[in-house]
Amino acid sequence: MDENNKTKELRGLYKHIKISVSALNKIIIGLCALLIIVLVMAVSNRGFTVTFDSTGGTAAAPQKLMYGDLIEEFDPPTREGYTFAGWYLDENLTIPWDMNNDTVTSSMTLYAEWSENNPSAE
């Protein structure tokens, strides 16, 4: 087998692609630069943002957390005539959020549930 045939065999799936080494080097350098930019953006973002919709109660400050972190404890919101009943992952209040066990896996908003206080009888 001569040297020319050996080169053709080594190209395998790429035998029909004609690209210069210079062009390939430019593609590789461009992809490396893109990877570095993405990594810098990920590090500068530093995780996920958890926001709190108190649905009529006092505001709760958003938190920046990393994947797998527990939400940092804070005083629950207040609302006149209501008692705070917990946080939920959805606006329909069907998926409860357990502050002691559930961990952050993405940016999200938690929604407050309220129980109406019974008016005092006079």
Side-chain angles (χ1 to χ4, degrees), residues 11 17-18 47 49 60 73 76 84 93 99 104 110:
R11 290 195 58 117
I17 297 174
K18 299 204 188 277
T49 302
E73 287 191 42
F84 177 73
L93 308 177
M99 294 292 234
V104 174
L110 295 178

Side-chain angles (χ1 to χ4, degrees), residues 9-121:
E9 284 181 24
L10 292 176
R11 290 195 58 117
L13 295 172
Y14 304 106
K15 64 185 172 190
H16 300 293
I17 297 174
K18 299 204 188 277
I19 188 167
S20 69
V21 172
S22 174
L24 190 57
N25 284 339
K26 290 176 184 176
I27 291 171
I28 291 171
I29 290 170
L31 290 173
C32 288
L34 181 63
L35 178 62
I36 290 169
I37 290 169
V38 168
L39 288 173
V40 166
M41 287 175 60
V43 169
S44 66
N45 187 24
R46 298 192 54 130
F48 302 110
T49 302
V50 179
T51 56
F52 302 92
D53 183 342
S54 61
T55 59
T58 55
Q63 296 183 15
K64 276 265 204 209
L65 301 165
M66 299 302 286
Y67 183 92
D69 284 350
L70 291 171
I71 293 175
E72 297 169 13
E73 287 191 42
F74 60 95
D75 291 334
T78 58
R79 182 176 171 190
E80 192 172 328
Y82 292 85
T83 301
F84 177 73
W87 293 108
Y88 285 79
L89 197 52
D90 63 318
E91 289 182 79
N92 296 326
L93 308 177
T94 60
I95 306 170
W97 184 265
D98 182 351
M99 294 292 234
N100 297 318
N101 295 309
D102 291 338
T103 59
V104 174
T105 58
S106 64
S107 291
M108 63 184 168
T109 299
L110 295 178
Y111 300 89
E113 179 185 31
W114 300 97
S115 299
E116 190 170 4
N117 294 340
N118 292 331
S120 59

